[in-house]
Amino acid sequence: MSSLRIEQLQRAGVRAADVTIAAGSCVAVHGASGSGKTLLLRAIADLDEADGEVWLDQKARSSMSGPQWRRQVSYVAAESHWWHSRVREHAAQWRSSDLQALGFGPE
C-alpha cells in the first residue's frame, strides 16, 4: 500500500513527529497562526531545506532530485478567498468530470 512517511523532519520553526499517512487518507494540519503549519508542508514538499527524511512509498526524498520529488509531492497553498460553502460556487467554470476526479460529487 502507498504511503507518505515523515521521520524526524526539522527546520527552523518546525519539529514534526514521526507520522505515516496511507494513500487515500485525508489529513488536516491545524494550529495557531505562526505555529509552523506552512513551514512543515513546504518542508515535506522539499520547497525549503529541512533535516530528517520523508518517504513516498519506499522511496526516500533524499534519493531523488528536488524536481523529481516535486513531480510526485506538491504543496498547494490555502486559498483564503473561498467563502462559499460549496466548491461548485468557486468552480463554476470547471467541468463536472474534473470535480469528480478530485473526489467531489456533482452536488
Side-chain angles (χ1 to χ4, degrees):
M1 173 180 237
S2 297
S3 66
L4 180 75
R5 191 170 81 235
I6 301 163
E7 295 179 349
Q8 303 297 312
L9 193 62
Q10 298 181 61
R11 59 153 289 174
V14 172
R15 186 168 177 205
D18 292 354
V19 65
T20 299
I21 302 166
S25 296
C26 182
V27 177
V29 177
H30 66 92
S33 180
S35 63
K37 300 176 299 290
T38 298
L39 295 175
L40 168 64
L41 296 172
R42 289 181 56 85
I44 293 169
D46 197 36
L47 297 174
D48 297 332
E49 270 190 57
D51 294 325
E53 191 61 89
V54 182
W55 299 78
L56 184 60
D57 296 326
Q58 299 302 313
K59 190 99 176 178
R61 179 187 62 182
S62 62
S63 71
M64 298 182 216
S65 69
Q68 287 173 314
W69 179 261
R70 290 187 290 274
R71 278 197 279 295
Q72 300 176 76
V73 177
S74 298
Y75 167 69
V76 180
E79 173 57 63
S80 61
H81 297 97
W82 282 48
W83 49 86
H84 297 293
S85 60
R86 295 185 182 272
V87 172
R88 171 51 78 194
E89 296 175 57
H90 292 282
Q93 72 281 10
W94 293 13
R95 297 180 307 211
S96 292
S97 60
D98 293 337
L99 289 169
Q100 288 174 353
L102 293 170
F104 295 106
E107 71 283 356

